Every structure is written in structure tokens, then in C-alpha cells.
Amino acid sequence: MSVVREALTGSGTYLMPACETSSLLGVGEARWERFGAHWDNLAVDDYAHDHGMRRLRRYGHFRVTPGTGSFRLLAPRPFAQPQDSNPLYIDVDRVFEPLTDTFVADPMFAAVLRLLVECAVALDDPPEWIGRAHLFRVVGTADAEGSPAPEGRHRDGVTLVSSLLIARRNATGGETTVFDLDGQRVLTATLEEPGTLLLGDDRCTLHDVSPVRPADRSRPAYRDVLVTTLAPI
């Protein structure tokens, strides 16, 4: 974990290979597949649809206790980002379908959250975190590419931002690039193996993800990701 924290306080980003994530969580391939079943129960992201994209999503926010990583789900409310972080949705409070009870109760989610809190200690040590979890499925077809980041290069307006790959099927593209605030490229990677985890200090980096297209154009491409952010309350 010291290597992760050094990277976050140095370059501002760390790419955790799937084998390392799985080892820290104490899970294997079968557990990733079971966890991925939650992504088969997402709802259409109407805001993305308005921009001609097909994306499925659920969202929830919660209070997280440092040290233990225990969390308390909060009542659903619209999702809003600071004006200077996401240029595509300025002054837009977006309402998404909430996280399912089965997802919130899944021990795997709790384990992932504890891991993220352990990483975030390198960046801040508040009495409590506000966490936000976004379950995304980006769909690409022969007629319409899937866009994981339609807003382009951006920040999320938080302290720690993370992207955990859950599944990737029949997909090309989806390359993530992290930049410093001067626009210099810090890291480029394609999350391909379930469990691959990209961490970033959102205060000093920006990120973008290239479109997803189907390798076999007769079938859709899927990219399932859990994006979780932490910010001090």
C-alpha cells in the first residue's frame, strides 16, 4: 500500500493491476463475475441519451468513516458537479436511478470501499468522507460508438477518483489518459482485466477515456466500470 500512496502523492495517479487488486481484496475470478451481475440491472442514462450516446447507470452517495471504511448510504438526491469540473453538464442536477439494495449489501462493494479509503489516507485525513458510487455500462455498436467520457478531459471535483473495471466484452478503444493540470500526459492505459483499478488525485489531475467500439461489428461492445469518488465532508 505504501507504493500506492507514494504514487498518489507523487505523480497523482496509480494503476493497480487486477492481480494486485484481487490479492488485496482476497477474491478470485469467480467473485468478480458474481459482482459483475449487478451491472445487468442498470437503467438508461437519459442525459447521455440526449447527446446521442447509449449508457446505462446507477448512482448513490454515502458517508464513510476513515479507518474502518464503514459507510452509511444516504437518501437519493440529484448528482451535481462543481462548475469548473465537467463542462458538459454545467448547472445541471442529474437524477439517476439509485443503487440497488443488493449492490449496497454486497460484501464485495464494502471491501472495495475499504481499499479506496486506505488509499485516500495519503491525500487527506478528514473526520468523514462523502463517497459517490457510479455503476456504468457504456455500449458501443456498429452505428454508434460508446463514450465513457463525453465531456472530454475533465476533473470530478473530488479528492480521490477511482475507476474499477468490472467487465469488458467485444470492445476496442476505451483507453484512459491522465494529465496533470498543465496538460502534460501522466499515464495512458486501457483497463482490460476485471479488477484493474485506476486511482487518481482529482485535485491535481484530469482524465479522459476514448470511445468504445465493437471488435465484432455484428454484436455490441460493453465496458462495465465502477467509478467511486471520495471527498472530505
Side-chain angles (χ1 to χ4, degrees), residues 20-111:
E20 182 179 352
T21 310
S22 296
S23 176
L24 290 170
L25 296 176
V27 299
E29 182 178 346
R31 189 65 187 90
W32 284 113
E33 291 181 0
R34 292 198 299 273
F35 189 54
H38 295 294
W39 274 254
D40 293 329
N41 188 23
L42 304 187
V44 173
D45 180 345
D46 290 328
Y47 303 92
H49 182 75
D50 289 343
H51 289 274
M53 298 167 290
R54 188 179 173 199
R55 185 163 68 179
L56 308 176
R57 185 172 187 164
R58 285 188 182 273
Y59 164 70
H61 67 291
F62 35 87
R63 286 178 176 266
V64 189
T65 303
T68 64
S70 60
F71 68 94
R72 177 169 60 89
L73 186 69
L74 301 176
R77 68 181 182 190
F79 173 62
Q81 291 175 276
Q83 185 172 346
D84 61 350
S85 64
N86 189 331
L88 193 61
Y89 298 109
I90 295 175
D91 295 327
V92 176
D93 289 346
R94 290 175 284 168
V95 178
F96 301 112
E97 289 297 312
L99 303 176
T100 63
D101 293 341
T102 53
F103 175 80
V104 175
D106 194 317
M108 184 77 163
F109 175 56

Coordinates of all heavy atoms in Angstrom, one line a residue, residues 20-111:
E20 N -3.1 -7.5 -8.3 CA -2.9 -6.8 -7.0 C -4.2 -6.5 -6.3 O -4.3 -6.7 -5.1 CB -2.1 -5.5 -7.3 CG -1.7 -4.8 -6.0 CD -0.9 -3.5 -6.3 OE1 -0.5 -3.3 -7.5 OE2 -0.7 -2.7 -5.4
T21 N -5.2 -6.0 -7.1 CA -6.5 -5.7 -6.5 C -7.1 -6.9 -5.9 O -7.6 -6.9 -4.8 CB -7.4 -5.1 -7.6 OG1 -6.7 -4.0 -8.3 CG2 -8.7 -4.5 -6.9
S22 N -7.1 -8.0 -6.7 CA -7.7 -9.2 -6.2 C -7.0 -9.8 -5.0 O -7.7 -10.3 -4.0 CB -7.6 -10.3 -7.3 OG -8.4 -9.9 -8.4
S23 N -5.7 -9.6 -4.9 CA -4.9 -10.1 -3.7 C -5.3 -9.2 -2.5 O -5.5 -9.8 -1.4 CB -3.4 -10.0 -4.0 OG -2.7 -10.3 -2.9
L24 N -5.4 -7.9 -2.7 CA -5.7 -7.0 -1.5 C -7.2 -7.3 -1.1 O -7.5 -7.2 0.1 CB -5.6 -5.6 -1.9 CG -4.1 -5.1 -2.1 CD1 -4.1 -3.7 -2.8 CD2 -3.4 -5.1 -0.8
L25 N -8.1 -7.6 -2.0 CA -9.5 -7.9 -1.6 C -9.7 -9.3 -1.2 O -10.7 -9.6 -0.6 CB -10.4 -7.6 -2.8 CG -10.4 -6.1 -3.2 CD1 -11.3 -6.0 -4.5 CD2 -10.9 -5.2 -2.1
G26 N -8.7 -10.2 -1.5 CA -8.9 -11.6 -1.2 C -10.0 -12.3 -2.0 O -10.7 -13.1 -1.5
V27 N -10.0 -12.0 -3.3 CA -11.1 -12.6 -4.2 C -10.4 -13.2 -5.4 O -9.3 -12.9 -5.8 CB -12.1 -11.5 -4.6 CG1 -12.8 -11.0 -3.4 CG2 -11.5 -10.4 -5.4
G28 N -11.2 -14.0 -6.1 CA -10.7 -14.6 -7.3 C -11.6 -14.3 -8.5 O -12.6 -13.5 -8.4
E29 N -11.4 -14.9 -9.6 CA -12.1 -14.6 -10.9 C -13.6 -14.9 -10.7 O -14.4 -14.0 -11.2 CB -11.5 -15.5 -12.0 CG -12.2 -15.2 -13.4 CD -11.6 -16.1 -14.5 OE1 -10.5 -16.7 -14.3 OE2 -12.2 -16.1 -15.6
A30 N -14.0 -15.9 -10.1 CA -15.4 -16.2 -9.9 C -16.1 -15.1 -9.2 O -17.3 -14.8 -9.5 CB -15.6 -17.6 -9.2
R31 N -15.5 -14.6 -8.2 CA -16.1 -13.5 -7.4 C -16.3 -12.2 -8.2 O -17.3 -11.5 -8.0 CB -15.2 -13.2 -6.1 CG -15.9 -12.2 -5.2 CD -17.2 -12.9 -4.6 NE -18.0 -12.0 -3.7 CZ -18.9 -11.2 -4.2 NH1 -19.3 -11.3 -5.5 NH2 -19.6 -10.5 -3.4
W32 N -15.4 -11.9 -9.1 CA -15.5 -10.8 -10.0 C -16.8 -11.0 -10.9 O -17.5 -10.1 -11.1 CB -14.3 -10.6 -10.8 CG -13.2 -9.9 -10.1 CD1 -12.0 -10.5 -9.8 CD2 -13.1 -8.6 -9.5 NE1 -11.2 -9.6 -9.1 CE2 -11.9 -8.5 -8.9 CE3 -14.0 -7.5 -9.5 CZ2 -11.5 -7.3 -8.3 CZ3 -13.6 -6.4 -8.9 CH2 -12.4 -6.2 -8.3
E33 N -16.9 -12.2 -11.4 CA -18.1 -12.5 -12.2 C -19.4 -12.3 -11.5 O -20.4 -11.8 -12.0 CB -18.0 -13.9 -12.8 CG -16.8 -14.1 -13.8 CD -16.8 -15.5 -14.3 OE1 -17.6 -16.3 -13.9 OE2 -15.8 -15.8 -15.1
R34 N -19.5 -12.8 -10.2 CA -20.7 -12.6 -9.4 C -20.9 -11.1 -9.1 O -22.1 -10.7 -9.2 CB -20.6 -13.4 -8.1 CG -20.6 -14.9 -8.3 CD -20.9 -15.7 -7.0 NE -20.0 -15.4 -6.0 CZ -18.9 -16.1 -5.8 NH1 -18.5 -17.1 -6.6 NH2 -18.1 -15.8 -4.8
F35 N -19.9 -10.4 -8.8 CA -20.0 -9.0 -8.6 C -20.5 -8.3 -9.8 O -21.4 -7.4 -9.8 CB -18.7 -8.4 -8.1 CG -18.8 -7.0 -7.6 CD1 -19.6 -6.6 -6.6 CD2 -17.9 -6.0 -8.1 CE1 -19.7 -5.3 -6.1 CE2 -17.9 -4.7 -7.6 CZ -18.8 -4.4 -6.6
G36 N -20.1 -8.7 -11.0 CA -20.4 -8.1 -12.2 C -21.9 -8.2 -12.6 O -22.4 -7.5 -13.4
A37 N -22.6 -9.2 -11.9 CA -24.0 -9.4 -12.2 C -24.8 -8.1 -11.9 O -25.9 -7.9 -12.5 CB -24.5 -10.6 -11.5
H38 N -24.3 -7.3 -11.0 CA -25.1 -6.1 -10.7 C -25.2 -5.2 -11.9 O -26.1 -4.4 -12.0 CB -24.4 -5.3 -9.5 CG -24.3 -6.0 -8.2 ND1 -25.5 -6.3 -7.5 CD2 -23.3 -6.6 -7.5 CE1 -25.1 -7.0 -6.4 NE2 -23.8 -7.1 -6.4
W39 N -24.3 -5.3 -12.8 CA -24.3 -4.4 -14.0 C -25.3 -4.8 -15.0 O -25.5 -4.1 -16.0 CB -22.9 -4.3 -14.6 CG -22.0 -3.3 -13.9 CD1 -21.6 -2.1 -14.5 CD2 -21.4 -3.3 -12.6 NE1 -20.8 -1.4 -13.6 CE2 -20.7 -2.1 -12.4 CE3 -21.4 -4.2 -11.6 CZ2 -20.0 -1.8 -11.3 CZ3 -20.7 -4.0 -10.4 CH2 -20.0 -2.8 -10.3
D40 N -25.9 -6.0 -14.8 CA -27.0 -6.4 -15.7 C -28.4 -5.8 -15.2 O -29.4 -6.1 -15.8 CB -27.1 -7.9 -15.7 CG -25.9 -8.6 -16.3 OD1 -25.4 -7.9 -17.3 OD2 -25.6 -9.7 -15.9
N41 N -28.3 -5.0 -14.2 CA -29.5 -4.4 -13.6 C -29.4 -2.8 -13.5 O -29.7 -2.2 -12.5 CB -29.8 -5.0 -12.2 CG -31.2 -4.5 -11.7 OD1 -32.1 -4.2 -12.5 ND2 -31.3 -4.6 -10.4
L42 N -28.9 -2.2 -14.6 CA -28.7 -0.8 -14.6 C -29.9 -0.1 -15.4 O -30.7 -0.8 -16.0 CB -27.4 -0.4 -15.2 CG -26.2 -1.0 -14.6 CD1 -24.9 -0.4 -15.2 CD2 -26.2 -0.8 -13.1
A43 N -30.0 1.2 -15.3 CA -31.0 1.9 -16.0 C -30.4 2.9 -17.1 O -29.3 3.2 -16.9 CB -31.9 2.7 -15.0
V44 N -31.2 3.2 -18.0 CA -30.7 4.1 -19.1 C -30.4 5.5 -18.6 O -31.1 6.0 -17.8 CB -31.8 4.2 -20.2 CG1 -31.4 5.3 -21.2 CG2 -32.1 2.9 -20.9
D45 N -29.2 6.0 -18.9 CA -28.8 7.3 -18.6 C -29.4 8.3 -19.6 O -28.9 8.4 -20.7 CB -27.3 7.4 -18.6 CG -26.7 8.7 -18.3 OD1 -27.5 9.7 -18.3 OD2 -25.5 8.8 -18.0
D46 N -30.5 8.9 -19.3 CA -31.2 9.8 -20.2 C -30.4 11.0 -20.6 O -30.6 11.5 -21.7 CB -32.5 10.2 -19.6 CG -33.5 9.1 -19.5 OD1 -33.5 8.2 -20.3 OD2 -34.3 9.1 -18.5
Y47 N -29.5 11.4 -19.8 CA -28.7 12.6 -20.1 C -27.7 12.3 -21.2 O -27.4 13.1 -22.1 CB -28.0 13.1 -18.8 CG -28.9 13.4 -17.7 CD1 -29.3 12.5 -16.8 CD2 -29.6 14.7 -17.6 CE1 -30.2 12.8 -15.7 CE2 -30.5 15.0 -16.6 CZ -30.8 14.0 -15.7 OH -31.7 14.3 -14.7
A48 N -27.1 11.1 -21.1 CA -26.2 10.6 -22.2 C -27.0 10.4 -23.5 O -26.6 10.7 -24.6 CB -25.5 9.3 -21.8
H49 N -28.2 9.8 -23.3 CA -29.1 9.6 -24.5 C -29.4 10.9 -25.2 O -29.4 10.9 -26.5 CB -30.4 8.9 -24.0 CG -31.3 8.6 -25.2 ND1 -31.1 7.5 -26.0 CD2 -32.4 9.2 -25.6 CE1 -32.1 7.5 -26.9 NE2 -32.9 8.5 -26.7
D50 N -29.5 12.0 -24.5 CA -29.8 13.3 -25.1 C -28.7 13.8 -26.0 O -28.9 14.6 -26.9 CB -30.1 14.3 -24.0 CG -31.4 14.1 -23.3 OD1 -32.3 13.4 -23.9 OD2 -31.6 14.7 -22.3
H51 N -27.5 13.2 -25.7 CA -26.3 13.6 -26.5 C -26.0 12.5 -27.6 O -24.9 12.5 -28.1 CB -25.1 13.8 -25.6 CG -25.1 15.1 -24.8 ND1 -24.7 16.3 -25.3 CD2 -25.6 15.3 -23.5 CE1 -24.9 17.2 -24.3 NE2 -25.5 16.6 -23.3
G52 N -26.9 11.6 -27.8 CA -26.8 10.6 -28.8 C -25.9 9.4 -28.4 O -25.4 8.7 -29.3
M53 N -25.8 9.2 -27.1 CA -25.0 8.1 -26.6 C -25.8 7.1 -25.8 O -26.9 7.4 -25.3 CB -23.9 8.6 -25.6 CG -22.9 9.6 -26.3 SD -21.9 10.4 -25.1 CE -23.2 11.5 -24.3
R54 N -25.4 5.8 -25.8 CA -26.1 4.8 -25.1 C -25.2 4.4 -23.9 O -24.1 3.9 -24.0 CB -26.3 3.6 -25.9 CG -27.2 2.5 -25.2 CD -27.5 1.3 -26.1 NE -28.2 0.3 -25.3 CZ -28.3 -0.9 -25.7 NH1 -27.7 -1.4 -26.8 NH2 -29.0 -1.8 -24.9
R55 N -25.8 4.7 -22.7 CA -25.0 4.4 -21.4 C -26.1 4.1 -20.4 O -27.1 4.7 -20.3 CB -24.2 5.7 -21.0 CG -23.4 5.4 -19.8 CD -22.3 6.5 -19.7 NE -22.9 7.8 -19.3 CZ -22.1 8.9 -19.1 NH1 -20.8 8.8 -19.3 NH2 -22.7 10.1 -18.8
L56 N -25.8 3.0 -19.6 CA -26.6 2.6 -18.5 C -25.9 2.9 -17.2 O -24.7 2.9 -17.1 CB -26.8 1.1 -18.6 CG -27.4 0.6 -20.0 CD1 -27.5 -0.9 -19.9 CD2 -28.7 1.2 -20.3
R57 N -26.7 3.2 -16.1 CA -26.1 3.7 -15.0 C -27.0 3.5 -13.7 O -28.2 3.4 -13.8 CB -25.9 5.2 -15.2 CG -25.1 6.0 -14.2 CD -24.8 7.4 -14.7 NE -24.0 8.2 -13.8 CZ -23.3 9.3 -14.2 NH1 -23.5 9.7 -15.5 NH2 -22.6 9.9 -13.4
R58 N -26.3 3.5 -12.6 CA -27.0 3.7 -11.3 C -26.0 4.5 -10.4 O -24.8 4.5 -10.6 CB -27.3 2.4 -10.5 CG -28.5 1.7 -11.1 CD -29.0 0.5 -10.3 NE -30.1 -0.2 -10.9 CZ -31.4 0.2 -10.7 NH1 -31.7 1.2 -9.9 NH2 -32.3 -0.5 -11.3
Y59 N -26.6 5.2 -9.4 CA -25.7 6.2 -8.6 C -26.2 6.2 -7.2 O -27.4 6.1 -6.9 CB -25.8 7.6 -9.2 CG -25.3 8.7 -8.3 CD1 -24.0 8.8 -8.0 CD2 -26.2 9.6 -7.8 CE1 -23.5 9.8 -7.1 CE2 -25.8 10.6 -6.9 CZ -24.4 10.7 -6.6 OH -24.0 11.7 -5.7
G60 N -25.3 6.4 -6.3 CA -25.6 6.6 -4.9 C -24.5 7.2 -4.1 O -23.4 7.2 -4.6
H61 N -24.8 7.9 -3.0 CA -23.8 8.6 -2.2 C -24.0 8.2 -0.8 O -25.0 7.8 -0.3 CB -23.8 10.1 -2.4 CG -25.0 10.8 -1.9 ND1 -26.3 10.6 -2.4 CD2 -25.2 11.6 -0.8 CE1 -27.2 11.3 -1.7 NE2 -26.5 11.9 -0.7
F62 N -22.9 8.3 0.0 CA -22.9 7.8 1.3 C -21.8 8.5 2.2 O -20.9 9.1 1.6 CB -22.6 6.3 1.3 CG -21.7 5.9 0.2 CD1 -20.3 5.9 0.4 CD2 -22.2 5.5 -1.0 CE1 -19.4 5.5 -0.6 CE2 -21.3 5.1 -2.1 CZ -19.9 5.1 -1.9
R63 N -21.9 8.4 3.5 CA -20.9 8.8 4.4 C -20.0 7.7 4.7 O -20.4 6.6 5.0 CB -21.5 9.4 5.7 CG -22.2 10.8 5.5 CD -22.8 11.2 6.8 NE -23.4 12.6 6.6 CZ -22.8 13.7 7.0 NH1 -21.5 13.7 7.5 NH2 -23.4 14.9 6.8
V64 N -18.7 7.9 4.8 CA -17.7 6.9 5.0 C -16.8 7.3 6.2 O -16.3 8.4 6.3 CB -16.8 6.6 3.8 CG1 -15.9 5.4 4.0 CG2 -17.6 6.5 2.5
T65 N -16.6 6.3 7.1 CA -15.8 6.6 8.3 C -14.3 6.1 8.0 O -14.1 5.0 7.6 CB -16.3 5.8 9.5 OG1 -17.6 6.1 9.7 CG2 -15.4 6.1 10.7
P66 N -13.4 7.0 8.1 CA -12.0 6.7 7.9 C -11.5 5.6 8.9 O -12.1 5.5 10.0 CB -11.2 8.0 8.1 CG -12.2 9.0 7.8 CD -13.5 8.5 8.3
G67 N -10.5 4.9 8.6 CA -10.0 3.8 9.5 C -10.8 2.5 9.3 O -10.2 1.5 8.8
T68 N -12.1 2.5 9.6 CA -12.8 1.3 9.4 C -13.4 1.1 8.0 O -13.6 0.0 7.5 CB -14.0 1.3 10.4 OG1 -14.9 2.3 10.0 CG2 -13.6 1.5 11.8
G69 N -13.6 2.2 7.3 CA -14.2 2.1 6.0 C -15.7 1.8 6.0 O -16.3 1.6 4.9
S70 N -16.3 1.8 7.2 CA -17.7 1.6 7.3 C -18.5 2.7 6.6 O -18.0 3.9 6.6 CB -18.2 1.4 8.7 OG -17.9 2.5 9.5
F71 N -19.6 2.5 6.1 CA -20.4 3.5 5.4 C -21.8 3.5 5.6 O -22.4 2.4 6.0 CB -20.1 3.4 3.9 CG -20.7 2.2 3.2 CD1 -22.0 2.3 2.6 CD2 -20.0 1.0 3.2 CE1 -22.5 1.1 2.0 CE2 -20.6 -0.1 2.6 CZ -21.8 -0.1 2.0
R72 N -22.5 4.6 5.4 CA -23.9 4.7 5.6 C -24.5 5.4 4.3 O -24.1 6.5 4.0 CB -24.2 5.6 6.8 CG -25.7 5.8 7.0 CD -26.0 6.4 8.4 NE -25.3 7.7 8.6 CZ -25.9 8.9 8.2 NH1 -27.1 8.9 7.6 NH2 -25.2 10.0 8.4
L73 N -25.4 4.6 3.7 CA -26.0 5.1 2.4 C -26.9 6.3 2.8 O -27.7 6.2 3.8 CB -26.8 4.0 1.8 CG -27.4 4.3 0.4 CD1 -26.3 4.5 -0.6 CD2 -28.3 3.2 0.0
L74 N -26.9 7.3 2.0 CA -27.7 8.5 2.2 C -28.9 8.4 1.3 O -28.9 7.7 0.3 CB -26.9 9.8 2.0 CG -25.7 9.9 2.9 CD1 -24.9 11.2 2.5 CD2 -26.1 10.0 4.4
A75 N -29.9 9.2 1.6 CA -31.2 9.2 0.8 C -30.8 9.7 -0.6 O -29.9 10.6 -0.8 CB -32.2 10.2 1.4
P76 N -31.5 9.2 -1.7 CA -31.2 9.6 -3.0 C -31.3 11.1 -3.2 O -32.2 11.8 -2.6 CB -32.2 8.9 -3.9 CG -32.5 7.7 -3.0 CD -32.5 8.2 -1.6
R77 N -30.5 11.7 -4.0 CA -30.6 13.1 -4.3 C -29.9 13.3 -5.7 O -29.1 12.5 -6.1 CB -30.0 14.0 -3.3 CG -28.4 13.9 -3.1 CD -28.0 14.8 -2.0 NE -26.5 14.8 -1.9 CZ -25.9 15.3 -0.8 NH1 -26.5 16.0 0.1 NH2 -24.5 15.3 -0.8
P78 N -30.1 14.5 -6.4 CA -29.5 14.7 -7.7 C -28.0 14.7 -7.6 O -27.4 15.1 -6.6 CB -30.1 16.0 -8.1 CG -31.4 16.1 -7.4 CD -31.1 15.5 -6.0
F79 N -27.4 14.4 -8.7 CA -25.9 14.4 -8.8 C -25.5 15.7 -9.4 O -26.0 16.0 -10.5 CB -25.4 13.2 -9.5 CG -23.9 13.2 -9.8 CD1 -23.0 13.2 -8.8 CD2 -23.4 13.3 -11.1 CE1 -21.6 13.3 -9.0 CE2 -22.1 13.3 -11.4 CZ -21.2 13.3 -10.3
A80 N -24.7 16.5 -8.8 CA -24.2 17.7 -9.3 C -22.7 17.8 -9.2 O -22.1 17.3 -8.2 CB -24.8 18.9 -8.7
Q81 N -22.0 18.4 -10.1 CA -20.5 18.6 -10.1 C -20.2 20.0 -10.1 O -20.9 20.9 -10.6 CB -19.8 17.9 -11.3 CG -19.9 16.4 -11.2 CD -19.4 15.7 -12.5 OE1 -20.0 15.6 -13.5 NE2 -18.1 15.3 -12.4
P82 N -19.0 20.4 -9.5 CA -18.6 21.8 -9.5 C -18.5 22.3 -10.9 O -18.2 21.6 -11.8 CB -17.2 21.8 -8.8 CG -17.3 20.6 -8.0 CD -18.1 19.6 -8.7
Q83 N -18.8 23.6 -11.1 CA -18.9 24.2 -12.4 C -17.7 24.0 -13.2 O -17.7 23.9 -14.5 CB -19.3 25.7 -12.3 CG -19.6 26.3 -13.7 CD -20.2 27.7 -13.5 OE1 -20.6 28.1 -12.5 NE2 -20.2 28.5 -14.6
D84 N -16.5 24.1 -12.6 CA -15.3 24.1 -13.3 C -14.7 22.7 -13.6 O -13.6 22.5 -14.1 CB -14.2 24.9 -12.6 CG -13.9 24.3 -11.2 OD1 -14.6 23.4 -10.7 OD2 -12.9 24.7 -10.6
S85 N -15.5 21.6 -13.2 CA -15.0 20.2 -13.4 C -15.6 19.5 -14.6 O -14.9 18.7 -15.2 CB -15.3 19.4 -12.1 OG -16.7 19.3 -11.9
N86 N -16.8 19.7 -14.9 CA -17.4 19.0 -16.0 C -18.2 20.0 -17.0 O -19.3 20.3 -16.7 CB -18.4 17.9 -15.5 CG -18.9 17.0 -16.6 OD1 -19.0 17.4 -17.8 ND2 -19.2 15.8 -16.2
P87 N -17.5 20.4 -18.1 CA -18.1 21.4 -18.9 C -19.4 21.0 -19.6 O -20.2 21.8 -20.1 CB -17.0 21.7 -19.9 CG -16.2 20.4 -20.0 CD -16.2 19.9 -18.6
L88 N -19.7 19.7 -19.7 CA -20.8 19.2 -20.5 C -22.1 19.4 -19.7 O -23.2 19.5 -20.3 CB -20.7 17.7 -20.8 CG -21.6 17.2 -21.8 CD1 -21.5 17.9 -23.2 CD2 -21.4 15.7 -22.0
Y89 N -22.0 19.4 -18.4 CA -23.2 19.5 -17.5 C -23.2 20.6 -16.5 O -23.4 20.5 -15.3 CB -23.4 18.2 -16.8 CG -23.6 17.0 -17.7 CD1 -22.7 16.0 -17.9 CD2 -24.8 16.9 -18.5 CE1 -22.8 14.9 -18.7 CE2 -25.0 15.8 -19.3 CZ -24.0 14.8 -19.5 OH -24.2 13.8 -20.3
I90 N -22.9 21.8 -17.0 CA -22.8 23.0 -16.1 C -24.2 23.4 -15.7 O -25.2 23.5 -16.5 CB -22.2 24.2 -16.9 CG1 -20.7 23.9 -17.2 CG2 -22.3 25.5 -16.1 CD1 -20.0 24.9 -18.1
D91 N -24.4 23.5 -14.4 CA -25.6 23.9 -13.8 C -26.8 22.9 -14.0 O -27.9 23.2 -14.1 CB -26.1 25.3 -14.3 CG -25.2 26.4 -13.8 OD1 -24.6 26.3 -12.7 OD2 -25.0 27.4 -14.6
V92 N -26.4 21.6 -14.2 CA -27.4 20.6 -14.4 C -27.3 19.6 -13.2 O -26.3 19.0 -12.9 CB -27.1 19.8 -15.7 CG1 -28.1 18.6 -15.8 CG2 -27.2 20.7 -16.9
D93 N -28.4 19.5 -12.5 CA -28.5 18.5 -11.4 C -29.1 17.2 -12.1 O -30.3 17.2 -12.4 CB -29.4 19.0 -10.3 CG -28.8 20.1 -9.5 OD1 -27.5 20.3 -9.6 OD2 -29.5 20.8 -8.7
R94 N -28.3 16.2 -12.2 CA -28.8 15.0 -12.9 C -29.4 14.0 -11.9 O -28.8 13.7 -10.8 CB -27.7 14.4 -13.7 CG -27.3 15.2 -14.9 CD -26.0 14.6 -15.6 NE -24.8 14.9 -14.8 CZ -23.6 14.3 -15.1 NH1 -23.6 13.4 -16.1 NH2 -22.6 14.6 -14.4
V95 N -30.5 13.4 -12.2 CA -31.2 12.4 -11.4 C -31.0 11.1 -12.0 O -31.4 10.8 -13.2 CB -32.7 12.8 -11.2 CG1 -33.3 11.7 -10.3 CG2 -32.8 14.1 -10.6
F96 N -30.4 10.1 -11.3 CA -30.2 8.8 -11.8 C -30.9 7.8 -10.9 O -31.2 8.1 -9.7 CB -28.7 8.4 -11.8 CG -27.9 9.4 -12.7 CD1 -26.9 10.2 -12.1 CD2 -28.0 9.4 -14.0 CE1 -26.2 11.1 -12.9 CE2 -27.2 10.2 -14.8 CZ -26.3 11.1 -14.2
E97 N -31.2 6.6 -11.5 CA -31.7 5.5 -10.7 C -30.8 5.2 -9.5 O -29.6 5.1 -9.7 CB -32.0 4.3 -11.5 CG -33.2 4.5 -12.5 CD -34.5 4.7 -11.8 OE1 -34.8 3.9 -10.8 OE2 -35.2 5.7 -12.1
P98 N -31.3 4.9 -8.3 CA -30.4 4.7 -7.2 C -29.8 3.3 -7.3 O -30.2 2.4 -8.0 CB -31.4 4.8 -6.0 CG -32.7 4.3 -6.6 CD -32.7 4.9 -8.0
L99 N -28.7 3.1 -6.4 CA -28.1 1.8 -6.2 C -29.1 0.8 -5.7 O -30.0 1.2 -4.9 CB -26.9 1.9 -5.3 CG -25.8 2.9 -5.6 CD1 -24.8 2.9 -4.5 CD2 -25.2 2.6 -6.9
T100 N -29.0 -0.4 -6.1 CA -30.0 -1.4 -5.6 C -29.5 -1.9 -4.2 O -28.4 -1.7 -3.8 CB -30.0 -2.7 -6.5 OG1 -28.7 -3.3 -6.5 CG2 -30.4 -2.3 -8.0
D101 N -30.5 -2.4 -3.5 CA -30.2 -2.8 -2.1 C -29.2 -4.0 -2.1 O -28.4 -4.1 -1.3 CB -31.5 -3.3 -1.4 CG -32.5 -2.2 -1.1 OD1 -32.0 -1.0 -1.1 OD2 -33.7 -2.4 -0.9
T102 N -29.3 -4.8 -3.2 CA -28.4 -6.0 -3.2 C -27.0 -5.5 -3.5 O -26.0 -6.1 -3.0 CB -28.9 -7.0 -4.3 OG1 -29.0 -6.3 -5.6 CG2 -30.2 -7.6 -3.9
F103 N -26.8 -4.5 -4.3 CA -25.4 -4.0 -4.5 C -24.9 -3.4 -3.3 O -23.7 -3.7 -2.9 CB -25.4 -2.9 -5.6 CG -24.1 -2.3 -5.8 CD1 -23.1 -2.9 -6.6 CD2 -23.8 -1.1 -5.3 CE1 -21.9 -2.4 -6.7 CE2 -22.6 -0.5 -5.4 CZ -21.6 -1.1 -6.1
V104 N -25.6 -2.6 -2.6 CA -25.2 -1.9 -1.4 C -24.8 -2.9 -0.3 O -23.8 -2.7 0.5 CB -26.2 -0.9 -0.8 CG1 -25.8 -0.3 0.5 CG2 -26.5 0.2 -1.8
A105 N -25.6 -4.0 -0.3 CA -25.3 -5.1 0.8 C -24.2 -6.1 0.4 O -23.8 -6.9 1.2 CB -26.6 -5.8 1.0
D106 N -23.7 -6.0 -0.9 CA -22.7 -6.9 -1.3 C -21.4 -6.7 -0.6 O -20.9 -5.6 -0.6 CB -22.5 -6.8 -2.8 CG -21.8 -7.9 -3.4 OD1 -20.8 -8.4 -2.8 OD2 -22.1 -8.4 -4.5
P107 N -20.9 -7.7 0.1 CA -19.6 -7.6 0.8 C -18.5 -7.1 -0.1 O -17.5 -6.5 0.4 CB -19.4 -9.0 1.4 CG -20.7 -9.6 1.4 CD -21.5 -9.1 0.3
M108 N -18.6 -7.4 -1.4 CA -17.5 -7.0 -2.3 C -17.5 -5.5 -2.4 O -16.4 -4.9 -2.5 CB -17.8 -7.6 -3.7 CG -16.8 -7.4 -4.7 SD -15.3 -8.4 -4.5 CE -14.6 -8.2 -6.1
F109 N -18.6 -4.8 -2.4 CA -18.6 -3.4 -2.5 C -18.0 -2.8 -1.3 O -17.2 -1.9 -1.3 CB -20.0 -2.9 -2.7 CG -20.1 -1.3 -2.6 CD1 -19.4 -0.5 -3.5 CD2 -21.0 -0.7 -1.7 CE1 -19.5 0.8 -3.4 CE2 -21.1 0.6 -1.6 CZ -20.3 1.4 -2.5
A110 N -18.3 -3.3 -0.1 CA -17.8 -2.9 1.2 C -16.3 -3.0 1.2 O -15.5 -2.2 1.6 CB -18.4 -3.6 2.3
A111 N -15.8 -4.2 0.6 CA -14.3 -4.4 0.6 C -13.6 -3.4 -0.3 O -12.5 -2.9 0.0 CB -14.1 -5.8 0.1

